[in-house]
Amino acid sequence: MKRWLAAVTLGLALSDVAHAAIDTYEFANDAERARFRELTQELRCPKCQNQDIADSNAPIATDLRREIYRMLGEGKDNQQILDFMVARYGDFVLYKPALTSKTAVLWFGPFALLLGGLVLIGVIVGRRRRTPQAAGSDTLSVEERQRLDTLLDKTKDD
């Protein structure tokens, strides 16, 4: 009974692996295979968002790989294929989007925030250094000292 239960559990666990997409494309030469691999690693899966289409098993990633293979067969160069994908899915499909007016915030935003934070810290520190401490603000006047002495003497007597 235990063996049967273990076999069923193992079979269910491996059933997802059996459905994983395995692309079998035949290329004319190794250079074309390398181009295919490079292109599929440069493009982000629109569904997974954190995987390139080479590693994704999503149906859309399979379609994109098939489309890249088709375009390679038509003799298109890498830039034409990337331009097609960007036109179809937007700049998001690229892991390294080009520097344009639309993507400038993505490229320079973190540095601008860091620089702004450093400037803010510098202003705060500079103001604290320039603000003069009131002369003698931590010393007591003669009347305050006498009152303190009398209060301390009362506590010693008790």
Side-chain angles (χ1 to χ4, degrees):
M1 179 71 172
K2 289 181 182 179
R3 287 184 183 178
W4 182 80
L5 185 61
V8 169
T9 304
L10 183 63
L12 289 174
L14 294 177
S15 67
D16 286 338
V17 175
H19 295 295
I22 299 174
D23 296 330
T24 54
Y25 298 119
E26 293 191 22
F27 297 97
N29 53 37
D30 287 336
E32 194 170 291
R33 182 185 318 277
R35 282 182 57 207
F36 178 81
R37 189 175 306 118
E38 177 186 337
L39 285 167
T40 57
Q41 290 174 347
E42 284 183 30
L43 297 171
R44 181 190 322 263
C45 175
K47 181 178 180 184
C48 304
Q49 297 181 1
N50 284 334
Q51 282 184 319
D52 55 27
I53 64 172
D55 295 334
S56 175
N57 288 327
I60 188 139
T62 304
D63 292 342
L64 292 175
R65 288 190 299 264
R66 190 177 307 121
E67 189 69 19
I68 291 172
Y69 179 73
R70 181 189 63 77
M71 287 191 234
L72 285 172
E74 292 175 358
K76 295 190 178 183
D77 66 1
N78 289 7
Q79 192 58 46
Q80 289 174 323
I81 295 171
L82 290 175
D83 290 342
F84 173 81
M85 294 296 178
V86 168
R88 193 168 189 187
Y89 297 101
D91 285 329
F92 177 77
V93 80
L94 298 175
Y95 264 117
K96 298 175 186 173
L99 179 59
T100 64
S101 60
K102 293 179 183 178
T103 60
V105 173
L106 294 174
W107 285 100
F108 300 116
F111 298 115
L113 287 174
L114 180 64
L115 182 63
L118 291 174
V119 167
L120 181 65
I121 289 172
V123 168
I124 291 171
V125 168
R127 284 184 183 172
R128 286 190 179 177
R129 286 186 181 171
R130 277 187 261 129
T131 304
Q133 296 291 334
S137 64
D138 55 349
T139 59
L140 299 173
S141 67
V142 176
E143 293 172 359
E144 291 171 332
R145 189 169 295 282
Q146 288 174 352
R147 184 165 180 237
L148 181 62
D149 288 340
T150 57
L151 287 172
L152 290 175
D153 286 340
K154 284 184 184 178
T155 57
K156 287 182 184 178
D157 293 339
D158 292 336

